[in-house]
Amino acid sequence: MAQNIRFGDFQRESAVERDVISYNDLSPKAAWDRDGHLVPHVHAKVQLDFKDVYRLLRTYSSSRFMEQLQAVVPLAVYLALFQMIALREMVQDSWMIVGGLFGVIVGLMLFMEGLKLGLMPFGETIGHILPKKSPLPVVLLVAFLLGVGVTFAEPAIGALKTAGQAVSPLKAPILYALLT
């Protein structure tokens, strides 16, 4: 048989114990010189050894590394399986491929971190302020220009153009036109 409990009683019984610490207890005590002027407190320089730096960076970068690992490994497995099953070719120079994939993962990790810290704040600011201060046609024009600029700035577009130059326009005119 179920027992009815008032919500207030449940909250009181399940509340987490916590201590309240005043900032005044954490801050240094004020000191005055002979003339009655406040003496500024000089904080001690933080000393980190290699183990401390490693611990700080490990927790920060391990989650970023795992995100990129989850994005790259399925694609690499798919390509390896495709090469072995469909093309009936064994993967050559696997250690070089693993090293290259590791470089891709680290590069993507740093690239994504740079985007989050460098470019995303600009985009968020534009996205919040521009619609408030500009009429709809201006917002649409800016969005169109940003889309065109991002498309031309995309590195994959440059790689496709390079690949398109290797295609013969006589053998595959549509593919050549699409890639160039």
Side-chain angles (χ1 to χ4, degrees):
M1 184 168 162
Q3 180 182 6
N4 291 333
I5 299 174
R6 288 184 43 217
F7 182 70
D9 295 336
F10 169 76
Q11 275 189 317
R12 184 178 60 251
E13 293 298 324
S14 64
V16 177
E17 294 286 327
R18 66 175 188 238
D19 293 330
V20 176
I21 299 174
S22 172
Y23 179 75
N24 293 331
D25 295 337
L26 299 175
S27 63
K29 303 298 179 217
W32 286 270
D33 61 8
R34 292 183 193 149
D35 298 331
H37 297 101
L38 185 63
V39 177
H41 178 75
V42 178
H43 294 281
K45 187 175 180 181
V46 176
Q47 297 292 327
L48 297 175
D49 60 358
F50 181 75
K51 185 192 282 187
D52 295 329
V53 172
Y54 171 73
R55 286 179 183 163
L56 286 170
L57 290 178
R58 181 188 63 193
T59 56
Y60 182 73
S61 61
S62 64
S63 63
R64 272 62 174 183
F65 185 82
M66 290 306 293
E67 289 173 3
Q68 300 311 319
L69 188 73
Q70 290 172 348
V72 170
V73 167
L75 179 62
V77 168
Y78 170 75
L79 290 174
L81 289 175
F82 181 81
Q83 181 175 343
M84 289 188 290
I85 294 171
L87 302 178
R88 299 180 194 270
E89 291 278 331
M90 292 305 296
V91 177
Q92 303 292 324
D93 299 324
S94 60
W95 287 109
M96 287 180 59
I97 292 173
V98 169
L101 288 174
F102 180 76
V104 165
I105 291 168
V106 170
L108 279 173
M109 180 181 78
L110 295 173
F111 176 72
M112 292 302 293
E113 194 64 25
L115 281 179
K116 288 178 189 174
L117 296 176
L119 289 178
M120 294 301 274
F122 285 135
E124 289 175 1
T125 302
I126 290 172
H128 287 297
I129 295 174
L130 185 67
K132 293 178 184 175
K133 293 189 174 187
S134 302
L136 182 61
V138 172
V139 173
L140 292 175
L141 177 67
V142 169
F144 174 76
L145 292 175
L146 283 173
V148 169
V150 167
T151 301
F152 285 121
E154 173 64 34
I157 301 298
L160 286 175
K161 286 183 180 179
T162 304
Q165 292 174 352
V167 175
S168 171
L170 298 175
K171 292 182 180 178
I174 296 175
L175 181 62
Y176 179 80
L178 288 173
L179 293 177
T180 58

